[in-house]
Amino acid sequence: MLKKLNDFLAGIPMTIVAGVFLLLDLIPHLMEEFGGQPMELSFLPFDPAWVTIFICGIPLLYLAIWRVIHDPGISKISSALLICIAMAAAIGIGDLFAAGEVVFIMQIGAILEDATTNRAKKGLKKLISLAPTQGRRITNGKEEMVPAEKIRKGDVLRILPGETIPVDGTIRRGETSVDQSIMTGESLPVDKGVGEEVYCGTINRFGSIDISATKVGEDSSLKKLIRMVQEAENKQAPMQRLADRAASWLVPVALAVAIGAYIFSGNIVTAVTVLVVFCPCALVLATPTAVMAAIGQATKHGVIIKSGEALEKMGKVDTIAFDKTGTLTFGRLDVSDIISFDDTLSEEELLTLTASAEAKSEHPLGKAIVECARAKDLALTESTSFKMTAGKGIFAEVNDRRLLCGSEEFLAENGVLIDNQVHKELNRLRTQGKASIIAADGQKCIGVIALSDVLRPEARDMVERLSDMNTRTVLLTGDNKKTADYFAQQVGITEVRAELLPEEKVRNIEKLQKENRKVCMIGDGVNDAPALKTADVSVAMGSMGSDIAIDAADVALMSDDISKIPYLKWLPNTTVKTIKFSIALSMCINFVAILMSLMEVLTPTTGALVHNAGSCLVVLIAALLYDRKYKQ
């Protein structure tokens, strides 16, 4: 009940109400302080500042007491405790405005900081929702749907086209292509046959397969992925407030100065004034207001930064690890090469024939070829017969031609001779990380169509700029080694770690961290979520990245413009400088105000106004950060 009341009072609506009543109390005080006649608000039966004290003081008192009871050691002494002491002292001498002002400013600071650190944890829920809930178990030749938690190691399961694989297993019968992007991030489905492994949460695209369960329940790959995200989430400590870090010495000093002032002056008002001006409200506001201004500026540049902690850590990053698919590349397949081995067949005619044959195919490579042909406004001919062998290729009759399109293995099985010239081209394409569809007419190979992911044009310049900023770049990808090496060479990344599952990406990041590196991970897929959470700072590709990756990351690039990465290195450094300047300025103002309090120039009310002016100045300095220009 007390917790609910505390949360209600600490919310924005009640804080606005507290501000209104504090303003009502300020008006007569200003008139009295500056020589006017005291004015009473006859329509209120009580001092308006009591409302502010109640609304803002109770959450602060709750926080101070909770920390005294639960926090260990010196951390029991917090800025909340100092301000509660100042509030009580001001109430004790009857200066309710001063009491209300310090707790109100403190609550504003708490709201601003919460606004920069609160992160919705929808991503983990979405990741959990990907876990299959049931599977088709084969018992004595009969199929039965059973809950996933009842599947045991060694059970035989049948997976139909389009279904999600419910456990890790080994294929016992059938051939197919499996979409493993959730695990490896690969843009292409992987062809699978008898004896090969499949993973929980991946999708069977084509043929029906029977698998033998090898890892079930919490041991499955997807459950490990979920567990890694949860563990990494727990490792992320919330940003500790700067004022609380200073409170271990600030509270004793403030009390000592206030007690000393009372002993030497004999005036309790002087002691209370010292406590009021000593309150670290400007100190509390310095970090969250600057962070909010920086986050606002980043938003103008299409960069969403979710917390002040991430902003500060990004400035310390010296190593950036990239995923490939959807990050350095666009994550889509395009036809890159059309190679004809028939002198009578032009590249355009080869594309037309192959696209006509593949028009009824559901395979992503076939679909990409068809899309390319249609983009070129080529007239396709409907095949008179069509047969697909899952995970291998297709047969189709087009214009009386018996066409075979597929893998090298598929064509060899159908008696097509693959000569040295064809082998040479296929090897060249493989070294460039490209997937190939071989086309044959009857028993003769007539050409090869290669497909590749498309490199982002700004990727190379971005890597070069990071290198100029003394930042190390690493490629961590689930793609095969040749593909990874080719794309890394294109952008200028020399350190490549390929064929990685999610847990291997995590281990690679942890290895870099053990080398005392501050690591930023940039990715876009579900498979990147554990690595994003493990890294010191994480960046997700916002417009095409998965919701899970975006929610797991500290930063999202909404336009997928990776040229913004160097900007992300500049912004936090500028923000930290602004925060340090604001803190130094606020401490100077507090020091001068303390001297004036000891000289009895300030009263608790005027001390509160000076204290408020310092807080406003800090907010103004932070606001100027919003329009600071980025210099490359």
Side-chain angles (χ1 to χ4, degrees), residues 55-71:
I55 292 174
C56 300
I58 287 180
L60 195 66
L61 187 62
Y62 176 88
L63 178 63
I65 293 172
W66 192 94
R67 287 179 174 174
V68 168
I69 295 172
H70 296 283
D71 283 6

mmCIF file with all atom_site columns, all heavy atoms in Angstrom, residues 55-71:
data_model
loop_
_atom_site.group_PDB
_atom_site.id
_atom_site.type_symbol
_atom_site.label_atom_id
_atom_site.label_alt_id
_atom_site.label_comp_id
_atom_site.label_asym_id
_atom_site.label_entity_id
_atom_site.label_seq_id
_atom_site.pdbx_PDB_ins_code
_atom_site.Cartn_x
_atom_site.Cartn_y
_atom_site.Cartn_z
_atom_site.occupancy
_atom_site.B_iso_or_equiv
_atom_site.pdbx_formal_charge
_atom_site.auth_seq_id
_atom_site.auth_comp_id
_atom_site.auth_asym_id
_atom_site.auth_atom_id
_atom_site.pdbx_PDB_model_num
ATOM 1   N N   . ILE A 1 55 ? 3.479  15.897 -1.226 1.00 0.00 ? 55 ILE A N   1
ATOM 2   C CA  . ILE A 1 55 ? 3.591  15.167 -2.495 1.00 0.00 ? 55 ILE A CA  1
ATOM 3   C C   . ILE A 1 55 ? 5.035  14.748 -2.789 1.00 0.00 ? 55 ILE A C   1
ATOM 4   O O   . ILE A 1 55 ? 5.308  13.597 -3.169 1.00 0.00 ? 55 ILE A O   1
ATOM 5   C CB  . ILE A 1 55 ? 3.038  16.011 -3.656 1.00 0.00 ? 55 ILE A CB  1
ATOM 6   C CG1 . ILE A 1 55 ? 1.520  16.184 -3.521 1.00 0.00 ? 55 ILE A CG1 1
ATOM 7   C CG2 . ILE A 1 55 ? 3.374  15.359 -5.017 1.00 0.00 ? 55 ILE A CG2 1
ATOM 8   C CD1 . ILE A 1 55 ? 0.912  17.132 -4.546 1.00 0.00 ? 55 ILE A CD1 1
ATOM 9   N N   . CYS A 1 56 ? 5.970  15.683 -2.624 1.00 0.00 ? 56 CYS A N   1
ATOM 10  C CA  . CYS A 1 56 ? 7.365  15.398 -2.986 1.00 0.00 ? 56 CYS A CA  1
ATOM 11  C C   . CYS A 1 56 ? 8.191  14.866 -1.810 1.00 0.00 ? 56 CYS A C   1
ATOM 12  O O   . CYS A 1 56 ? 9.200  14.183 -2.037 1.00 0.00 ? 56 CYS A O   1
ATOM 13  C CB  . CYS A 1 56 ? 8.037  16.657 -3.531 1.00 0.00 ? 56 CYS A CB  1
ATOM 14  S SG  . CYS A 1 56 ? 7.237  17.333 -4.996 1.00 0.00 ? 56 CYS A SG  1
ATOM 15  N N   . GLY A 1 57 ? 7.761  15.187 -0.591 1.00 0.00 ? 57 GLY A N   1
ATOM 16  C CA  . GLY A 1 57 ? 8.539  14.772 0.570  1.00 0.00 ? 57 GLY A CA  1
ATOM 17  C C   . GLY A 1 57 ? 8.375  13.315 0.941  1.00 0.00 ? 57 GLY A C   1
ATOM 18  O O   . GLY A 1 57 ? 9.335  12.653 1.335  1.00 0.00 ? 57 GLY A O   1
ATOM 19  N N   . ILE A 1 58 ? 7.148  12.785 0.797  1.00 0.00 ? 58 ILE A N   1
ATOM 20  C CA  . ILE A 1 58 ? 6.915  11.386 1.171  1.00 0.00 ? 58 ILE A CA  1
ATOM 21  C C   . ILE A 1 58 ? 7.741  10.413 0.318  1.00 0.00 ? 58 ILE A C   1
ATOM 22  O O   . ILE A 1 58 ? 8.409  9.526  0.863  1.00 0.00 ? 58 ILE A O   1
ATOM 23  C CB  . ILE A 1 58 ? 5.406  11.054 1.119  1.00 0.00 ? 58 ILE A CB  1
ATOM 24  C CG1 . ILE A 1 58 ? 4.708  11.720 2.313  1.00 0.00 ? 58 ILE A CG1 1
ATOM 25  C CG2 . ILE A 1 58 ? 5.176  9.539  1.141  1.00 0.00 ? 58 ILE A CG2 1
ATOM 26  C CD1 . ILE A 1 58 ? 3.228  11.470 2.377  1.00 0.00 ? 58 ILE A CD1 1
ATOM 27  N N   . PRO A 1 59 ? 7.745  10.537 -1.042 1.00 0.00 ? 59 PRO A N   1
ATOM 28  C CA  . PRO A 1 59 ? 8.597  9.631  -1.826 1.00 0.00 ? 59 PRO A CA  1
ATOM 29  C C   . PRO A 1 59 ? 10.078 9.755  -1.466 1.00 0.00 ? 59 PRO A C   1
ATOM 30  O O   . PRO A 1 59 ? 10.801 8.756  -1.430 1.00 0.00 ? 59 PRO A O   1
ATOM 31  C CB  . PRO A 1 59 ? 8.346  10.077 -3.272 1.00 0.00 ? 59 PRO A CB  1
ATOM 32  C CG  . PRO A 1 59 ? 7.014  10.718 -3.254 1.00 0.00 ? 59 PRO A CG  1
ATOM 33  C CD  . PRO A 1 59 ? 6.934  11.391 -1.922 1.00 0.00 ? 59 PRO A CD  1
ATOM 34  N N   . LEU A 1 60 ? 10.520 10.982 -1.172 1.00 0.00 ? 60 LEU A N   1
ATOM 35  C CA  . LEU A 1 60 ? 11.928 11.185 -0.835 1.00 0.00 ? 60 LEU A CA  1
ATOM 36  C C   . LEU A 1 60 ? 12.245 10.555 0.527  1.00 0.00 ? 60 LEU A C   1
ATOM 37  O O   . LEU A 1 60 ? 13.286 9.912  0.701  1.00 0.00 ? 60 LEU A O   1
ATOM 38  C CB  . LEU A 1 60 ? 12.231 12.683 -0.799 1.00 0.00 ? 60 LEU A CB  1
ATOM 39  C CG  . LEU A 1 60 ? 13.707 13.057 -0.823 1.00 0.00 ? 60 LEU A CG  1
ATOM 40  C CD1 . LEU A 1 60 ? 14.348 12.673 -2.139 1.00 0.00 ? 60 LEU A CD1 1
ATOM 41  C CD2 . LEU A 1 60 ? 13.871 14.554 -0.591 1.00 0.00 ? 60 LEU A CD2 1
ATOM 42  N N   . LEU A 1 61 ? 11.335 10.732 1.490  1.00 0.00 ? 61 LEU A N   1
ATOM 43  C CA  . LEU A 1 61 ? 11.515 10.141 2.817  1.00 0.00 ? 61 LEU A CA  1
ATOM 44  C C   . LEU A 1 61 ? 11.501 8.614  2.721  1.00 0.00 ? 61 LEU A C   1
ATOM 45  O O   . LEU A 1 61 ? 12.309 7.929  3.371  1.00 0.00 ? 61 LEU A O   1
ATOM 46  C CB  . LEU A 1 61 ? 10.408 10.637 3.749  1.00 0.00 ? 61 LEU A CB  1
ATOM 47  C CG  . LEU A 1 61 ? 10.521 10.254 5.228  1.00 0.00 ? 61 LEU A CG  1
ATOM 48  C CD1 . LEU A 1 61 ? 11.802 10.843 5.828  1.00 0.00 ? 61 LEU A CD1 1
ATOM 49  C CD2 . LEU A 1 61 ? 9.295  10.726 5.996  1.00 0.00 ? 61 LEU A CD2 1
ATOM 50  N N   . TYR A 1 62 ? 10.596 8.085  1.898  1.00 0.00 ? 62 TYR A N   1
ATOM 51  C CA  . TYR A 1 62 ? 10.511 6.631  1.684  1.00 0.00 ? 62 TYR A CA  1
ATOM 52  C C   . TYR A 1 62 ? 11.830 6.100  1.129  1.00 0.00 ? 62 TYR A C   1
ATOM 53  O O   . TYR A 1 62 ? 12.360 5.082  1.599  1.00 0.00 ? 62 TYR A O   1
ATOM 54  C CB  . TYR A 1 62 ? 9.359  6.344  0.714  1.00 0.00 ? 62 TYR A CB  1
ATOM 55  C CG  . TYR A 1 62 ? 9.211  4.895  0.315  1.00 0.00 ? 62 TYR A CG  1
ATOM 56  C CD1 . TYR A 1 62 ? 8.435  4.014  1.080  1.00 0.00 ? 62 TYR A CD1 1
ATOM 57  C CD2 . TYR A 1 62 ? 9.841  4.394  -0.824 1.00 0.00 ? 62 TYR A CD2 1
ATOM 58  C CE1 . TYR A 1 62 ? 8.294  2.689  0.700  1.00 0.00 ? 62 TYR A CE1 1
ATOM 59  C CE2 . TYR A 1 62 ? 9.708  3.070  -1.204 1.00 0.00 ? 62 TYR A CE2 1
ATOM 60  C CZ  . TYR A 1 62 ? 8.930  2.218  -0.436 1.00 0.00 ? 62 TYR A CZ  1
ATOM 61  O OH  . TYR A 1 62 ? 8.796  0.906  -0.800 1.00 0.00 ? 62 TYR A OH  1
ATOM 62  N N   . LEU A 1 63 ? 12.390 6.824  0.130  1.00 0.00 ? 63 LEU A N   1
ATOM 63  C CA  . LEU A 1 63 ? 13.651 6.409  -0.484 1.00 0.00 ? 63 LEU A CA  1
ATOM 64  C C   . LEU A 1 63 ? 14.805 6.469  0.508  1.00 0.00 ? 63 LEU A C   1
ATOM 65  O O   . LEU A 1 63 ? 15.627 5.540  0.582  1.00 0.00 ? 63 LEU A O   1
ATOM 66  C CB  . LEU A 1 63 ? 13.956 7.302  -1.691 1.00 0.00 ? 63 LEU A CB  1
ATOM 67  C CG  . LEU A 1 63 ? 15.284 7.044  -2.432 1.00 0.00 ? 63 LEU A CG  1
ATOM 68  C CD1 . LEU A 1 63 ? 15.293 5.647  -3.046 1.00 0.00 ? 63 LEU A CD1 1
ATOM 69  C CD2 . LEU A 1 63 ? 15.492 8.092  -3.519 1.00 0.00 ? 63 LEU A CD2 1
ATOM 70  N N   . ALA A 1 64 ? 14.870 7.549  1.284  1.00 0.00 ? 64 ALA A N   1
ATOM 71  C CA  . ALA A 1 64 ? 15.957 7.702  2.257  1.00 0.00 ? 64 ALA A CA  1
ATOM 72  C C   . ALA A 1 64 ? 15.915 6.603  3.314  1.00 0.00 ? 64 ALA A C   1
ATOM 73  O O   . ALA A 1 64 ? 16.939 5.997  3.638  1.00 0.00 ? 64 ALA A O   1
ATOM 74  C CB  . ALA A 1 64 ? 15.865 9.080  2.915  1.00 0.00 ? 64 ALA A CB  1
ATOM 75  N N   . ILE A 1 65 ? 14.712 6.312  3.842  1.00 0.00 ? 65 ILE A N   1
ATOM 76  C CA  . ILE A 1 65 ? 14.572 5.269  4.873  1.00 0.00 ? 65 ILE A CA  1
ATOM 77  C C   . ILE A 1 65 ? 14.876 3.887  4.289  1.00 0.00 ? 65 ILE A C   1
ATOM 78  O O   . ILE A 1 65 ? 15.554 3.068  4.909  1.00 0.00 ? 65 ILE A O   1
ATOM 79  C CB  . ILE A 1 65 ? 13.153 5.309  5.483  1.00 0.00 ? 65 ILE A CB  1
ATOM 80  C CG1 . ILE A 1 65 ? 12.962 6.618  6.267  1.00 0.00 ? 65 ILE A CG1 1
ATOM 81  C CG2 . ILE A 1 65 ? 12.917 4.107  6.381  1.00 0.00 ? 65 ILE A CG2 1
ATOM 82  C CD1 . ILE A 1 65 ? 11.541 6.837  6.752  1.00 0.00 ? 65 ILE A CD1 1
ATOM 83  N N   . TRP A 1 66 ? 14.390 3.654  3.073  1.00 0.00 ? 66 TRP A N   1
ATOM 84  C CA  . TRP A 1 66 ? 14.627 2.347  2.432  1.00 0.00 ? 66 TRP A CA  1
ATOM 85  C C   . TRP A 1 66 ? 16.124 2.106  2.258  1.00 0.00 ? 66 TRP A C   1
ATOM 86  O O   . TRP A 1 66 ? 16.629 1.010  2.512  1.00 0.00 ? 66 TRP A O   1
ATOM 87  C CB  . TRP A 1 66 ? 13.922 2.314  1.069  1.00 0.00 ? 66 TRP A CB  1
ATOM 88  C CG  . TRP A 1 66 ? 13.865 0.934  0.468  1.00 0.00 ? 66 TRP A CG  1
ATOM 89  C CD1 . TRP A 1 66 ? 12.848 0.023  0.583  1.00 0.00 ? 66 TRP A CD1 1
ATOM 90  C CD2 . TRP A 1 66 ? 14.864 0.316  -0.352 1.00 0.00 ? 66 TRP A CD2 1
ATOM 91  N NE1 . TRP A 1 66 ? 13.145 -1.124 -0.092 1.00 0.00 ? 66 TRP A NE1 1
ATOM 92  C CE2 . TRP A 1 66 ? 14.393 -0.984 -0.687 1.00 0.00 ? 66 TRP A CE2 1
ATOM 93  C CE3 . TRP A 1 66 ? 16.111 0.698  -0.815 1.00 0.00 ? 66 TRP A CE3 1
ATOM 94  C CZ2 . TRP A 1 66 ? 15.113 -1.877 -1.470 1.00 0.00 ? 66 TRP A CZ2 1
ATOM 95  C CZ3 . TRP A 1 66 ? 16.842 -0.189 -1.598 1.00 0.00 ? 66 TRP A CZ3 1
ATOM 96  C CH2 . TRP A 1 66 ? 16.353 -1.454 -1.933 1.00 0.00 ? 66 TRP A CH2 1
ATOM 97  N N   . ARG A 1 67 ? 16.858 3.148  1.847  1.00 0.00 ? 67 ARG A N   1
ATOM 98  C CA  . ARG A 1 67 ? 18.301 2.989  1.651  1.00 0.00 ? 67 ARG A CA  1
ATOM 99  C C   . ARG A 1 67 ? 19.031 2.793  2.981  1.00 0.00 ? 67 ARG A C   1
ATOM 100 O O   . ARG A 1 67 ? 19.996 2.030  3.053  1.00 0.00 ? 67 ARG A O   1
ATOM 101 C CB  . ARG A 1 67 ? 18.860 4.194  0.895  1.00 0.00 ? 67 ARG A CB  1
ATOM 102 C CG  . ARG A 1 67 ? 18.465 4.199  -0.577 1.00 0.00 ? 67 ARG A CG  1
ATOM 103 C CD  . ARG A 1 67 ? 19.004 5.391  -1.318 1.00 0.00 ? 67 ARG A CD  1
ATOM 104 N NE  . ARG A 1 67 ? 18.713 5.276  -2.750 1.00 0.00 ? 67 ARG A NE  1
ATOM 105 C CZ  . ARG A 1 67 ? 18.961 6.236  -3.638 1.00 0.00 ? 67 ARG A CZ  1
ATOM 106 N NH1 . ARG A 1 67 ? 19.507 7.375  -3.252 1.00 0.00 ? 67 ARG A NH1 1
ATOM 107 N NH2 . ARG A 1 67 ? 18.662 6.060  -4.905 1.00 0.00 ? 67 ARG A NH2 1
ATOM 108 N N   . VAL A 1 68 ? 18.592 3.478  3.994  1.00 0.00 ? 68 VAL A N   1
ATOM 109 C CA  . VAL A 1 68 ? 19.209 3.297  5.318  1.00 0.00 ? 68 VAL A CA  1
ATOM 110 C C   . VAL A 1 68 ? 19.029 1.862  5.792  1.00 0.00 ? 68 VAL A C   1
ATOM 111 O O   . VAL A 1 68 ? 19.932 1.254  6.375  1.00 0.00 ? 68 VAL A O   1
ATOM 112 C CB  . VAL A 1 68 ? 18.609 4.293  6.336  1.00 0.00 ? 68 VAL A CB  1
ATOM 113 C CG1 . VAL A 1 68 ? 19.023 3.921  7.763  1.00 0.00 ? 68 VAL A CG1 1
ATOM 114 C CG2 . VAL A 1 68 ? 19.068 5.708  6.020  1.00 0.00 ? 68 VAL A CG2 1
ATOM 115 N N   . ILE A 1 69 ? 17.854 1.289  5.534  1.00 0.00 ? 69 ILE A N   1
ATOM 116 C CA  . ILE A 1 69 ? 17.554 -0.071 6.001  1.00 0.00 ? 69 ILE A CA  1
ATOM 117 C C   . ILE A 1 69 ? 18.233 -1.133 5.132  1.00 0.00 ? 69 ILE A C   1
ATOM 118 O O   . ILE A 1 69 ? 18.828 -2.087 5.640  1.00 0.00 ? 69 ILE A O   1
ATOM 119 C CB  . ILE A 1 69 ? 16.023 -0.313 6.030  1.00 0.00 ? 69 ILE A CB  1
ATOM 120 C CG1 . ILE A 1 69 ? 15.367 0.596  7.077  1.00 0.00 ? 69 ILE A CG1 1
ATOM 121 C CG2 . ILE A 1 69 ? 15.709 -1.783 6.334  1.00 0.00 ? 69 ILE A CG2 1
ATOM 122 C CD1 . ILE A 1 69 ? 13.850 0.575  7.041  1.00 0.00 ? 69 ILE A CD1 1
ATOM 123 N N   . HIS A 1 70 ? 18.162 -0.956 3.799  1.00 0.00 ? 70 HIS A N   1
ATOM 124 C CA  . HIS A 1 70 ? 18.554 -2.042 2.894  1.00 0.00 ? 70 HIS A CA  1
ATOM 125 C C   . HIS A 1 70 ? 19.943 -1.905 2.284  1.00 0.00 ? 70 HIS A C   1
ATOM 126 O O   . HIS A 1 70 ? 20.578 -2.918 1.976  1.00 0.00 ? 70 HIS A O   1
ATOM 127 C CB  . HIS A 1 70 ? 17.524 -2.169 1.768  1.00 0.00 ? 70 HIS A CB  1
ATOM 128 C CG  . HIS A 1 70 ? 16.159 -2.568 2.236  1.00 0.00 ? 70 HIS A CG  1
ATOM 129 N ND1 . HIS A 1 70 ? 15.838 -3.858 2.592  1.00 0.00 ? 70 HIS A ND1 1
ATOM 130 C CD2 . HIS A 1 70 ? 15.025 -1.832 2.417  1.00 0.00 ? 70 HIS A CD2 1
ATOM 131 C CE1 . HIS A 1 70 ? 14.573 -3.917 2.971  1.00 0.00 ? 70 HIS A CE1 1
ATOM 132 N NE2 . HIS A 1 70 ? 14.051 -2.696 2.873  1.00 0.00 ? 70 HIS A NE2 1
ATOM 133 N N   . ASP A 1 71 ? 20.420 -0.686 2.060  1.00 0.00 ? 71 ASP A N   1
ATOM 134 C CA  . ASP A 1 71 ? 21.724 -0.534 1.384  1.00 0.00 ? 71 ASP A CA  1
ATOM 135 C C   . ASP A 1 71 ? 22.867 -0.871 2.340  1.00 0.00 ? 71 ASP A C   1
ATOM 136 O O   . ASP A 1 71 ? 22.777 -0.591 3.538  1.00 0.00 ? 71 ASP A O   1
ATOM 137 C CB  . ASP A 1 71 ? 21.891 0.898  0.862  1.00 0.00 ? 71 ASP A CB  1
ATOM 138 C CG  . ASP A 1 71 ? 21.086 1.134  -0.407 1.00 0.00 ? 71 ASP A CG  1
ATOM 139 O OD1 . ASP A 1 71 ? 20.323 0.231  -0.787 1.00 0.00 ? 71 ASP A OD1 1
ATOM 140 O OD2 . ASP A 1 71 ? 21.216 2.215  -1.010 1.00 0.00 ? 71 ASP A OD2 1
#
